[in-house]
Amino acid sequence: MTTRQPRTWSGRRPTLEEVAAHAGVGRGTVSRVINGSPRVSERTRAAVEAAIAELGYVPNNAARALAGNRTDAIALVVPEPERRFFAEPYFSDIVHGVGIALAETEFQLLLTFAGSDRERQRLAQYLAAQRVDGVLLVSVHADDPLPDLLEQSGMPAVISGRRSAEETLTSVDSDNFGGARDAVAHLVARGRRSIATITGRLDVYGAQRRLDGYRAALVEAGREVDEELVCPADFTEEGGRQATAELLERRPDVDAVFAGSDVMASGARQVLRSAGRRIPQDVALVGFDDSAIARHMDPPMTSVRQPIEEMGREMTRLLIEEIAAPGRRRAGAAGRRGREQLVLPNALVVRESS
Amino acid sequence: MTTRQPRTWSGRRPTLEEVAAHAGVGRGTVSRVINGSPRVSERTRAAVEAAIAELGYVPNNAARALAGNRTDAIALVVPEPERRFFAEPYFSDIVHGVGIALAETEFQLLLTFAGSDRERQRLAQYLAAQRVDGVLLVSVHADDPLPDLLEQSGMPAVISGRRSAEETLTSVDSDNFGGARDAVAHLVARGRRSIATITGRLDVYGAQRRLDGYRAALVEAGREVDEELVCPADFTEEGGRQATAELLERRPDVDAVFAGSDVMASGARQVLRSAGRRIPQDVALVGFDDSAIARHMDPPMTSVRQPIEEMGREMTRLLIEEIAAPGRRRAGAAGRRGREQLVLPNALVVRESS
DNA sequence: CAGTACTGTGGGAGCGCTCCCATGTGTGAT
DNA sequence: ATCACACATGGGAGCGCTCCCACAGTACTG
């Protein structure tokens, strides 16, 4: 550990006390003005504001944080290395949504990467050091201990997606079930007979829900679910390829594939192509995420779009709500304990692959 | 020693004072241990560290910041909207470099966007509120008032690139002059006779230096600089297209183009192609930045690579240095006042377009 | 006209640290 | 043994705020 040194630069800034003296009022009154308390007369408020402007006063945040036990900052925790964060448009959209929601508040956003274990450790320290009032968690892996850690600590937190049907943290998710159901219903409406699905890792709750949606759509169409058409994979392109190869062998009559992610769909497409199947003439293909992959695929691919920016906005809104009313829990549908679980609708974007 | 569980973080956290009581020492001693002061005996240090571990003590940063007048945080200020930030690999590399340099320190990184005026205003407040010890400025526009603002305030700051030949802030730049000179020398060596250049906005210092490098390479090769071959543009693809179209009209004999950025080179390529010029047979093309554009162009394009990650590392190193030794100025080449101006070498990456 | 209920205001008491001075306590030289 | 001077240590004095209690002033009640 290194020795710390005082780090002072440039001249002293005016303090609350100085503003108070300048305005001829007490310290408390200036504080009230700064914090927008209604218990200040118009005259006094004007005088104080003039003094603030004249001295160029800006409150010292460290002091506010210490005295008020709050920081006016929230952290967006990304349990990924920087590179992946920048590579995926998902994060960009989330950050944008968060930024929009935050613009109307006094909160500052801290972007925190926790890709390596070392970074995770520092993060835990950081959060414990009470540098933020709340945490937004995105892209959480199933085995990540961070959410539980946060929950135990009582730190307000909102998670994107749910870890299970009984998520205990406040969460914002997209309607994976509905999105998948719509996609498959679309394939049914297009007259496809043998509709297969390639799933993501089923220990990821969202992947499970997409599979559930697939099943529901078939049942609603009065069809039976043929388990031979359900191909488990792992969200990767290679997984998509492999699952598709096996599928073609098992069920050469397949005429539609609903993939649980665009990336897996991309793998599927490669195998379908090299097997001589035309898209969409022989086999229709639908993905999930509506990422750049879907738009740039040849042919452009039908995919389920998640309202990611809106998710970012809603996460932020819920987090701020939770910070404002700590410990408050909202009644769930069943009226039992639990924090809010917000689910936003997805939209099917139809393109030429189906 | 009993391996009692560190108390969970819920509720009140232990304070310095409590740790001191637990270890049977004074407050000051615990502070010294935490801050790595050498003036503590081994025995005492061990006792304190045990108490810290047992209580799960983590220092309160707000209190530290207030008492010590420092925050252990630096801000990376990006005067761009989020979208562009994520879109450009430049930023990703910078952040990565910064992260590497920071990993060995206690500093936390704050990512701050200041794309809109509103965000700029908040940023100024933020900095004034003493939330950070220093600022890294990247991608600063020529007319941005922020650098001057920071300089006036005395806040330690490091800028990427220079705003002019006499940059007054500490800066880290790549050798635009040398990179351009190498690129053009390479074209000369390839036997090209009429070498044109498409420049970026010349009020951007880096663009000017690239043009200077172009000229120097020609002079060094014993050639005259033909001003008809110098095409001013604006860093955009459209600008590259337009400049190239005019160039072809003015000087149909052109057999090489050095563009001041890959994006402009991409525009140039389109026009050259549609004019029936083959690359590299008829016209050689060299870009600047070595971005994804260069690698994925058809044919893959020769380009000047900037050591962006290293720039991020060096910026961070210099900033921390400046924070540690406030007000210190390093002697420039002329022995006059001025902060360090670091210039890192560029490398020409030769591909098939030249 | 006392009694009650406000509203507006001042300022004490911390928040949890760091800084620094005063006070031990041990070492070596004389 | 005596002095000098290290080093180790305890704790007071803030850092600049927010919180909250006390009190003055004003405006209604009955």
Side-chain angles (χ1 to χ4, degrees):
Chain A
M1 243 195 249
T2 45
T3 307
R4 290 158 157 273
Q5 292 176 9
R7 294 166 192 148
T8 9
W9 41 267
S10 120
R12 257 181 65 278
R13 293 176 203 287
T15 69
L16 230 206
E17 198 107 27
E18 282 160 20
V19 173
H22 202 87
V25 299
R27 196 165 16 81
T29 302
V30 178
S31 177
R32 267 171 291 231
V33 170
I34 289 169
N35 294 300
S37 158
R39 309 171 79 71
V40 183
S41 69
E42 260 333 299
R43 279 180 62 86
T44 314
R45 182 184 304 281
V48 171
E49 273 163 359
I52 288 174
E54 191 170 337
L55 296 178
Y57 171 75
V58 179
N60 178 319
N61 263 299
R64 292 185 103 172
L66 179 58
N69 200 37
R70 79 196 146 58
T71 64
D72 285 338
I74 65 173
L76 175 64
V77 174
V78 185
E80 307 277 353
E82 292 96 341
R83 304 258 183 207
R84 255 207 74 200
F85 179 69
F86 287 100
E88 299 198 15
Y90 175 84
F91 293 117
S92 150
D93 288 345
I94 285 272
V95 171
H96 194 239
V98 171
I100 289 174
L102 241 33
E104 296 157 14
T105 73
E106 297 224 331
F107 284 91
Q108 257 287 331
L109 177 64
L110 270 64
L111 260 177
T112 323
F113 303 103
S116 67
D117 276 340
R118 171 171 187 145
E119 285 173 327
R120 259 150 213 270
Q121 203 171 334
R122 291 190 72 192
L123 176 65
Q125 289 264 320
Y126 192 80
L127 299 180
Q130 320 198 2
R131 292 231 217 191
V132 293
D133 295 334
V135 174
L136 297 172
L137 275 167
V138 298
S139 176
V140 175
H141 296 187
D143 57 345
D144 196 323
L146 207 51
D148 288 329
L149 227 65
L150 284 170
E151 189 158 22
Q152 278 170 34
S153 78
M155 168 82 73
V158 177
I159 194 170
S160 76
R162 280 168 292 180
R163 289 169 295 165
S164 74
E166 285 126 27
E167 178 59 63
T168 47
L169 283 172
T170 302
S171 73
V172 175
D173 202 355
S174 79
D175 184 5
N176 291 303
F177 178 86
R181 195 182 47 188
D182 291 352
V184 175
H186 160 78
L187 290 169
V188 168
R190 284 281 205 266
R192 302 291 168 167
R193 300 303 314 166
S194 293
I195 304 174
T197 186
I198 301 174
T199 78
R201 285 177 39 189
L202 291 178
D203 59 335
V204 175
Y205 182 67
Q208 179 63 54
R209 291 301 287 159
R210 290 174 195 180
L211 174 56
D212 294 346
Y214 163 84
R215 290 208 162 98
L218 292 179
V219 169
E220 281 167 22
R223 303 196 187 172
E224 275 187 23
V225 178
D226 181 344
E227 292 299 333
E228 269 191 2
L229 291 170
V230 175
C231 317
D234 59 356
F235 281 124
T236 67
E237 193 167 333
E238 171 56 26
R241 277 194 291 266
Q242 209 168 309
T244 309
E246 290 166 20
L247 171 67
L248 283 177
E249 197 149 315
R250 196 162 62 228
R251 295 291 303 264
D253 64 311
V254 63
D255 63 357
V257 174
F258 165 61
S261 78
D262 284 352
V263 173
M264 292 194 294
S266 174
R269 174 186 157 280
Q270 293 163 26
V271 173
L272 289 171
R273 275 286 172 89
S274 53
R277 313 291 177 109
R278 293 167 304 165
I279 299 172
Q281 295 90 333
D282 302 327
V283 179
L285 185 60
V286 174
F288 209 109
D289 290 340
D290 192 38
S291 61
I293 297 171
R295 288 191 298 279
H296 295 137
M297 194 181 277
D298 172 32
M301 180 169 66
T302 298
S303 189
V304 179
R305 164 178 289 162
Q306 306 187 73
I308 300 178
E309 185 185 307
E310 190 182 350
M311 288 173 71
R313 279 208 310 275
E314 291 299 326
M315 287 176 71
T316 310
R317 188 180 61 75
L318 288 173
L319 181 62
I320 290 175
E321 220 168 68
E322 201 167 303
I323 289 170
R328 230 186 90 223
R329 309 213 163 181
R330 318 183 130 237
R336 292 192 292 130
R337 67 157 193 84
R339 296 192 174 82
E340 181 152 357
Q341 312 297 328
L342 190 61
V343 177
L344 301 176
N346 284 318
L348 186 67
V349 180
V350 179
R351 297 201 182 82
E352 296 158 36
S353 71
S354 65
Chain B
M1 226 208 287
T2 40
T3 24
R4 229 184 293 170
Q5 290 269 338
R7 202 174 294 167
T8 31
W9 293 334
S10 53
R12 252 184 69 282
R13 297 176 206 291
T15 68
L16 230 206
E17 198 107 26
E18 282 161 21
V19 174
H22 202 87
V25 300
R27 198 165 15 83
T29 303
V30 178
S31 178
R32 271 178 292 254
V33 169
I34 289 170
N35 296 300
S37 158
R39 311 172 78 70
V40 183
S41 70
E42 263 328 302
R43 279 179 62 86
T44 313
R45 182 185 306 279
V48 171
E49 274 164 359
I52 288 174
E54 193 169 336
L55 296 176
Y57 170 75
V58 178
N60 178 319
N61 264 299
R64 292 184 107 175
L66 179 58
N69 197 39
R70 98 197 119 45
T71 64
D72 284 338
I74 65 172
L76 175 63
V77 174
V78 185
E80 307 277 352
E82 292 95 341
R83 304 257 183 208
R84 254 206 73 200
F85 178 69
F86 287 100
E88 298 197 15
Y90 175 84
F91 293 117
S92 152
D93 288 346
I94 285 274
V95 171
H96 195 240
V98 171
I100 289 174
L102 241 32
E104 297 157 14
T105 72
E106 298 219 334
F107 284 91
Q108 258 285 335
L109 177 64
L110 269 66
L111 261 177
T112 323
F113 304 102
S116 67
D117 275 341
R118 169 165 191 152
E119 284 174 326
R120 259 148 213 270
Q121 203 170 335
R122 291 189 71 192
L123 176 65
Q125 289 264 318
Y126 193 78
L127 299 180
Q130 322 199 1
R131 291 231 217 193
V132 293
D133 294 334
V135 173
L136 296 172
L137 275 167
V138 298
S139 175
V140 175
H141 295 188
D143 57 345
D144 196 323
L146 207 52
D148 287 329
L149 228 64
L150 284 170
E151 190 159 20
Q152 278 170 33
S153 79
M155 167 83 74
V158 177
I159 194 169
S160 78
R162 279 168 293 178
R163 289 169 296 164
S164 73
E166 286 126 27
E167 178 58 64
T168 47
L169 283 172
T170 302
S171 73
V172 175
D173 202 355
S174 79
D175 184 6
N176 291 304
F177 178 86
R181 195 182 47 189
D182 290 353
V184 176
H186 160 78
L187 290 169
V188 168
R190 283 282 205 266
R192 302 291 168 168
R193 300 303 314 167
S194 293
I195 304 173
T197 186
I198 301 174
T199 78
R201 284 177 40 189
L202 291 179
D203 58 337
V204 175
Y205 183 66
Q208 178 63 53
R209 292 300 288 159
R210 290 174 195 180
L211 175 55
D212 294 345
Y214 162 83
R215 290 209 162 99
L218 292 179
V219 169
E220 280 168 23
R223 302 196 189 175
E224 276 187 19
V225 178
D226 181 345
E227 293 299 333
E228 269 190 5
L229 291 170
V230 176
C231 316
D234 59 356
F235 282 123
T236 68
E237 191 165 335
E238 171 56 26
R241 277 194 290 268
Q242 210 168 309
T244 309
E246 289 167 20
L247 170 68
L248 283 178
E249 198 149 316
R250 197 164 59 228
R251 297 292 302 263
D253 63 313
V254 64
D255 64 356
V257 174
F258 164 61
S261 79
D262 284 353
V263 173
M264 292 193 296
S266 174
R269 173 186 159 280
Q270 293 164 26
V271 173
L272 289 171
R273 276 284 173 91
S274 53
R277 312 293 176 108
R278 292 167 304 164
I279 299 172
Q281 295 90 331
D282 302 328
V283 180
L285 184 60
V286 175
F288 208 109
D289 291 341
D290 192 37
S291 61
I293 297 171
R295 290 190 296 280
H296 295 137
M297 193 181 278
D298 173 31
M301 180 170 65
T302 298
S303 189
V304 179
R305 165 179 289 162
Q306 305 186 74
I308 300 178
E309 185 185 305
E310 190 183 349
M311 288 174 70
R313 280 209 310 277
E314 291 299 326
M315 287 175 71
T316 310
R317 189 180 60 74
L318 288 172
L319 181 62
I320 291 176
E321 220 169 68
E322 201 166 304
I323 289 169
R328 231 186 88 224
R329 309 216 164 177
R330 314 179 137 240
R336 292 191 293 129
R337 68 161 190 83
R339 296 191 174 82
E340 182 153 356
Q341 312 297 330
L342 189 60
V343 177
L344 300 176
N346 284 317
L348 186 67
V349 180
V350 179
R351 295 201 182 83
E352 296 159 36
S353 71
S354 64

